[in-house]
Amino acid sequence: MGAVSSSTEDEREPLLNTTQQSDSSFVQPASRVYSRRWLVLGLFSLLGFMQGMVWNTWGPIQNSAKQAYGFTSIDIAMLVLCGPVGFIPWFLFMWLMDKKGLRVTMLLSAFLMVVGTGVRSIPLTDLSIKKWLIHGGQLLNGLAGPTVMSAPPLLSTTWFAPDQRATATAVAALLSYLGGACSFLIGPLVVPAPNQTALPHSSADKSSAHIRDRVQIVLYAEFAMVFLLFAAVVAYFPSRPPLPPSVAAASQRLSYRSSFCRLLSNLRFLMIALAYSVPLGILAGWSGVLDMILTPAKVSQVDAGWIGFWSTVGGCVVGIGVARFADSMRGMLKLILLLMFSGATLSSTWLTLTCLPDSGSHLPLTTATLYTSCILVGIFIISSVPMFFELFIETVYPVPEGITCGVVTFLSNLFMGALLFFLTFYHTDLSWLNWCLTGSCLFSLLLILLFRESYDRLYLDVFVSV
């Protein structure tokens, strides 16, 4: 749109040379899809999985952490807030990704995660120092977020053919959410709940020292897994294959400066960026304190963990399935997103009305309705992530994938940070968080409805490569 004129002919030339055959035809650059792409995708996805798990360590066990370490609700909110705070220097990671490639950025991100999980797991008896180390470790892990959350479309474009790109983007993007979901399961199962939130059949006394010992086991295990992944990235993680897999992968992208001008002046991109970032940011903050939200509804720490687990796992499974459908039926991203956010709006409204305080007429609260509404919210919103990423790239091509997704993930973390910031002031009655989630889904649905889609990158692959 407004900044289209900033694109030059040089920026639209392919990276690999082409040989002219006649006035109307030319030989396309050599391309190849390598089997090692699955190893690269696996390493990236596992690192994203661990980054999500480490980020969500404390939310599912917040009641135990309060008793064992003396944490307050503000402390828990600050630990979750380390995720969006880690996105403050996001533009540096995007610049590094654009100039030095994905390997250098991955090495730096994995190193930050190793140091972060390492300092958290140092066994100390002084709880004041231990709390500072935990906060510092969470922040270092948050600094790896810009890479694991923004690079999936870059990785899929660099290594995968056009008919596999959406699937690769879905796997790389959603494994981070799956890591957060597994922390909902592992944390409450390994770390015992304090007496006042324990289930009736649980053992009687859970001392603070015993809870700290169990938390320490979780911290040691996360550090060990992150260290192994860091060693694997050091051993093998190339920036790009010897030959590109498609015409779009071989094409030159806009410069760093031109990319930001294009993004900020493209009204369609800003619309779809807000449609993505507002509900995803609200959902991330909401799920990070899900245990606190469901405590007034007499939901135990373990049950809250299971709800968070299945809602996120459902979103990941459905997201990968929808991505496979999008790869086979191209050009339907807007329709898919409309269906997803229609469901998200209805399910989040159901959840909000179910969890209203006992001050008026609302839907009945049962275990079945609570599980179902929460799981549906996770399925509809989380499964939309890869579809949004692919639509971003198609809309603003030839802006580099890492820069485009870096901007939108920064925005989503900005909204998440704003939500958690308000949570530090308004943490007595958390029903307003459910209303924020419902409003964000409706807002996104309206923006998607008004959005005019285009498929510039797909056009290049389908028509230029023929």
Side-chain angles (χ1 to χ4, degrees):
M1 294 179 66
V4 171
S5 60
S6 63
S7 175
T8 65
E9 293 299 324
D10 292 339
E11 290 169 331
R12 294 186 177 274
E13 289 297 317
L15 290 174
L16 301 180
N17 291 329
T18 60
T19 304
Q20 294 288 338
Q21 284 185 322
S22 64
D23 292 339
S24 59
S25 63
F26 60 88
V27 176
Q28 294 296 327
S31 61
R32 178 183 174 185
V33 179
Y34 296 84
S35 58
R36 74 190 75 166
R37 69 192 185 278
W38 299 110
L39 175 60
V40 174
L41 177 63
L43 286 176
F44 181 93
S45 301
L46 287 175
L47 195 70
F49 177 89
M50 288 309 304
Q51 202 272 341
M53 178 179 286
V54 173
W55 167 75
N56 199 35
T57 298
W58 302 100
I61 58 171
Q62 56 101 11
N63 287 324
S64 300
K66 287 178 180 178
Q67 176 169 314
Y69 294 103
F71 285 158
T72 65
S73 297
I74 295 179
D75 287 321
I76 299 298
M78 292 301 295
L79 288 170
V80 179
L81 188 60
C82 286
V85 169
F87 268 77
I88 291 177
W90 64 275
F91 56 91
L92 296 178
F93 287 88
M94 298 306 99
W95 176 86
L96 189 65
M97 193 184 304
D98 185 49
K99 299 299 182 182
K100 301 297 182 181
L102 195 53
R103 174 175 171 81
V104 175
T105 315
M106 280 287 289
L107 284 172
L108 176 59
S109 300
F111 176 74
L112 291 171
M113 290 175 60
V114 168
V115 177
T117 53
V119 298
R120 292 190 322 163
S121 61
I122 297 176
L124 294 175
T125 56
D126 190 332
L127 295 185
S128 62
I129 298 178
K130 180 71 173 179
K131 289 203 307 189
W132 279 107
L133 290 179
I134 290 174
H135 281 277
Q138 291 296 116
L139 180 59
L140 289 174
N141 180 76
L143 290 173
T147 299
V148 301
M149 295 184 67
S150 304
L154 173 61
L155 184 144
S156 63
T157 299
T158 303
W159 287 92
F160 288 83
D163 60 348
Q164 295 178 337
R165 278 198 300 240
T167 304
T169 299
V171 173
L174 295 177
L175 261 290
S176 176
Y177 290 89
L178 187 61
C182 287
S183 64
F184 278 114
L185 177 63
I186 295 173
L189 290 181
V190 175
V191 181
N195 294 332
Q196 60 269 26
T197 59
L199 294 176
H201 60 269
S202 300
S203 57
D205 288 326
K206 304 294 183 182
S207 67
S208 298
H210 178 63
I211 293 176
R212 283 195 295 270
D213 291 339
R214 304 296 290 182
V215 172
Q216 196 67 30
I217 292 175
V218 175
L219 299 182
Y220 282 143
E222 291 178 347
F223 170 68
M225 289 186 285
V226 170
F227 182 82
L228 290 176
L229 285 174
F230 173 67
V233 172
V234 171
Y236 182 79
F237 195 94
S239 286
R240 59 180 62 87
L243 293 175
S246 64
V247 175
S251 299
Q252 184 73 21
R253 300 299 194 268
L254 297 180
S255 66
Y256 195 69
R257 180 179 179 181
S258 298
S259 297
F260 280 100
C261 293
R262 172 73 65 89
L263 294 179
L264 295 178
S265 60
N266 191 324
L267 180 59
R268 292 193 303 128
F269 169 74
L270 295 177
M271 287 177 59
I272 202 68
L274 287 175
Y276 165 86
S277 58
V278 174
L280 263 295
I282 299 298
L283 178 70
W286 177 85
S287 62
V289 293
L290 183 60
D291 188 14
M292 296 168 59
I293 295 173
L294 297 181
T295 296
K298 303 297 187 287
V299 176
S300 70
Q301 180 172 279
V302 174
D303 283 338
W306 279 111
I307 291 174
F309 173 78
W310 287 117
S311 65
T312 308
V313 169
C316 294
V317 172
V318 173
I320 294 174
V322 171
R324 285 303 303 149
F325 173 78
D327 275 330
S328 60
M329 301 291 292
R330 302 176 190 176
M332 300 182 64
L333 295 177
K334 177 179 176 178
L335 177 60
I336 293 173
L337 288 173
L338 282 174
L339 293 175
M340 286 179 172
F341 273 89
S342 296
T345 302
L346 293 175
S347 56
S348 59
T349 302
W350 181 17
L351 172 65
T352 301
L353 296 178
T354 299
C355 294
L356 281 176
D358 294 327
S359 58
S361 176
H362 58 86
L363 299 179
L365 174 62
T366 64
T367 302
T369 58
L370 198 61
Y371 267 71
T372 303
S373 57
C374 285
I375 291 172
L376 287 177
V377 169
I379 287 176
F380 287 122
I381 298 181
I382 295 175
S383 61
S384 70
V385 171
M387 299 299 99
F388 270 120
F389 278 1
E390 289 296 301
L391 190 58
F392 293 144
I393 305 305
E394 297 289 351
T395 301
V396 300
Y397 182 86
V399 175
E401 292 84 352
I403 295 176
T404 302
C405 294
V407 171
V408 296
T409 51
F410 170 75
L411 287 176
S412 67
N413 278 269
L414 187 65
F415 285 108
M416 173 187 171
L419 183 77
L420 295 175
F421 175 77
F422 284 109
L423 181 61
T424 60
F425 297 98
Y426 306 102
H427 54 268
T428 52
D429 179 13
L430 299 182
S431 60
W432 62 273
L433 287 172
N434 294 330
W435 286 110
C436 287
L437 184 64
T438 302
S440 67
C441 293
L442 180 59
F443 174 73
S444 180
L445 178 62
L446 294 176
L447 287 179
I448 296 171
L449 189 62
L450 297 174
F451 176 75
R452 180 174 57 84
E453 60 186 330
S454 64
Y455 297 89
D456 298 340
R457 183 183 60 171
L458 180 62
Y459 179 89
L460 182 66
D461 280 325
V462 171
F463 292 99
V464 176
S465 61
V466 173

